[in-house]
Amino acid sequence: MKKPLIVQKFGGTSVGSIERIHQVAEHIINAKNAGNQVVVVVSAMSGETNRLLDLAKQIDSVPDARELDVLLSAGEQVSMALLAITLNKMGYTARSLTGTQAKIVTDEQYNDATIKHIDVQPIIELLAQDQIVIVAGFQGITESGDITTLGRGGSDTSAVALAGALQADECQIFTDVDGVYSCDPRIVKDAHKLEVIDFPTMEAMARHGAKVLHLPSVLHAWKNQVPLRVLSTFDVNQGSLVKGDECTLPVCGLAIQRDMCLIKAEKETLALLQKQSRLLGIAIWDVIEHPEWLAVVVKQDAYSKLELVLQGKVADCLPISLLTAVGANTAELATLSQQLLVDNDIVTIHQKFDEQSFTIALCPESVDSAANLWHQAYITPNKAHDCLQKHAFLN
Ligand code: ASP
Ligand code: MG
């Protein structure tokens, strides 16, 4: 009988030291000894990608994109080898593969590439030899043989894409938190863990800044119907399970996105900004047509790229944060929350609806208070109801 196949992904904190790599090895060995075939995807050791990025930025604020990918992909290569050495030392045969060796083929969008296909043959062969296969996350190779990276946090996507291509039974994302929370628990103290979360809700959370899962990984898992489990490397628990195609929960999660900026510009410059953004592959979150001014909202790191091409034509760049509520009845919340924010002296710069989400833009200093207010008013009271639904969903 064919053994079940599990893909396990370990994030930067999980492989952050030799001691932690040993802990990771224990998880892998447990899965292997339980009769599974195991493919592992690793991130770079915590802080390593930032360290490498910082080195490049000391030389050039907008480093050459191709070379940046050569540099950043080195981080994962270190952790995959250290993990393989650890497993070998512990008596298990393990083999590490770079994105190139694992034949993870991407498009040519350096720094933010998309996986096109994976030739799983090399991995299948190693699994057939009873090896544990360790693959470097966050990286791939173009058709013409250049190294690419998948955007920050991209190892999740590597894991899910591999799980899809290998038709794995489950994709487990091990991290430093024990699941997906209703909001970042460091910001909202009474945020709770969501035991089961449907794909549309998870997608909206990831799209709007929840860092727990990389957005393309959620889209990929959803499309390929790969059950995803988010769980902690550091304790034993069930984590959160992401599955299901329908958003049935009322407002159940809040996501915060801090690294945004609002660029005010004259009408002609605005058109130019939009055009340049398209050319540079920069996502514009929204165009704001305020009675007194016009602006676009983009990520802060995109601003430096735009500034380079627009040279002094943009008036103002204002850092802002976005707060998004996700769930089935966000339209209702939009009306309700106006007064709540006003009563608490929180000024909303802009607001926007999407399917199953409602976002406000506000100044960075007030986003944490707004998140706490919303959570207390709309999510905590829903929790009891929510639990009932989840149990129904699980059974
Ligand atoms: N090492 C990469 C990063 O820090 C990819 C990842 O960790 O998922 O963004
Ligand atoms: Mg991550």
Side-chain angles (χ1 to χ4, degrees):
M1 208 182 72
K2 190 175 166 277
K3 285 182 177 176
L5 199 161
I6 301 183
V7 174
Q8 298 188 318
K9 181 257 167 177
F10 296 90
T13 323
S14 306
V15 294
S17 65
I18 298 303
E19 197 194 339
R20 290 191 164 174
I21 291 177
H22 272 103
Q23 248 170 307
V24 164
E26 297 289 350
H27 282 287
I28 298 168
I29 290 170
N30 285 344
K32 175 98 175 115
N33 289 346
N36 299 296
Q37 297 177 282
V38 189
V39 174
V40 181
V41 173
V42 286
S43 291
M45 296 171 88
S46 53
E48 183 60 9
T49 309
N50 284 340
R51 188 185 73 85
L52 296 171
L53 187 60
D54 184 59
L55 286 174
K57 289 205 167 169
Q58 284 179 37
I59 306 168
D60 189 343
S61 62
V62 185
D64 179 84
R66 180 193 182 275
E67 298 313 321
L68 191 60
D69 278 352
V70 176
L71 179 71
L72 297 189
S73 65
E76 272 69 15
Q77 209 167 318
V78 171
S79 44
M80 74 179 201
L82 291 175
L83 181 57
I85 293 169
T86 306
L87 285 163
N88 288 333
K89 176 80 181 164
M90 290 167 88
Y92 289 80
T93 47
R95 182 75 72 80
S96 68
L97 302 174
T98 61
T100 304
Q101 292 172 316
K103 298 196 165 27
I104 300 176
V105 178
T106 73
D107 63 12
E108 317 255 324
Q109 187 77 40
Y110 299 112
N111 312 163
D112 197 17
T114 302
I115 297 177
K116 295 207 301 194
H117 52 88
I118 304 175
D119 172 6
V120 289
Q121 207 46 44
I123 296 180
I124 302 269
E125 275 163 28
L126 290 170
L127 289 174
Q129 296 163 17
D130 209 29
Q131 304 245 23
I132 296 166
V133 183
I134 304 165
V135 182
F138 177 58
Q139 56 181 264
I141 185 170
T142 63
E143 302 275 8
S144 57
D146 274 348
I147 297 174
T148 49
T149 64
L150 309 178
R152 297 306 305 270
S155 297
D156 295 346
T157 298
S158 310
V160 173
L162 276 167
L166 289 160
Q167 299 180 314
D169 295 276
E170 189 167 282
C171 183
Q172 304 177 338
I173 309 281
F174 284 84
T175 175
D176 51 349
V177 292
D178 62 347
V180 181
Y181 275 71
S182 54
C183 188
D184 185 340
R186 288 168 302 187
I187 309 300
V188 175
K189 292 278 169 295
D190 58 341
H192 53 268
K193 191 167 88 181
L194 303 164
E195 267 141 62
V196 178
I197 176 169
D198 54 81
F199 275 117
T201 303
M202 190 64 243
E203 191 244 37
M205 296 273 281
R207 185 178 297 282
H208 295 283
K211 295 261 178 343
V212 61
L213 284 173
H214 190 231
L215 175 63
S217 75
V218 181
L219 294 170
H220 221 100
W222 188 3
K223 191 172 131 214
N224 295 298
Q225 294 291 319
V226 177
L228 260 186
R229 193 182 289 281
V230 178
L231 67 180
S232 165
T233 315
F234 307 113
D235 55 29
V236 184
N237 61 79
Q238 291 300 301
S240 294
L241 180 64
V242 189
K243 68 164 197 181
D245 292 326
E246 233 169 291
C247 171
T248 50
L249 305 173
V251 177
C252 59
L254 300 180
I256 298 172
Q257 203 165 346
R258 296 180 194 276
D259 53 350
M260 305 298 287
C261 68
L262 183 138
I263 309 176
K264 287 189 183 173
E266 297 299 327
K267 202 163 179 189
E268 302 78 63
T269 316
L270 196 79
L272 193 62
L273 259 171
Q274 286 172 282
K275 187 174 160 222
Q276 285 300 340
S277 300
R278 259 196 312 277
L279 290 175
L280 295 167
I282 292 171
I284 293 184
W285 175 67
D286 209 1
V287 178
I288 308 181
E289 297 189 17
H290 191 269
E292 281 140 45
W293 45 266
L294 297 171
V296 293
V297 178
V298 293
K299 281 203 176 164
Q300 274 168 24
D301 62 358
Y303 176 67
S304 39
K305 289 187 194 163
L306 285 170
E307 209 189 16
L308 216 66
V309 279
L310 292 173
Q311 297 186 346
K313 283 201 197 114
V314 290
D316 248 346
C317 170
L318 192 76
I320 58 166
S321 293
L322 306 178
L323 175 64
T324 301
V326 174
N329 58 349
T330 41
E332 197 177 301
L333 179 136
T335 339
L336 282 174
S337 77
Q338 281 292 358
Q339 201 54 44
L340 181 70
L341 295 173
V342 171
D343 289 348
N344 286 278
D345 298 324
I346 292 177
V347 180
T348 310
I349 301 170
H350 184 61
Q351 62 182 49
K352 186 183 170 190
F353 283 100
D354 252 325
E355 236 173 292
Q356 291 147 8
S357 69
F358 171 58
T359 305
I360 55 172
L362 61 184
C363 76
E365 297 77 58
S366 37
V367 68
D368 291 0
S369 330
N372 274 284
L373 282 169
W374 273 11
H375 200 283
Q376 213 163 38
Y378 312 117
I379 296 188
T380 311
N382 272 338
K383 196 187 164 190
H385 172 240
D386 202 34
C387 281
L388 283 176
Q389 287 215 348
K390 265 184 230 136
H391 284 292
F393 191 55
L394 273 172
N395 292 333

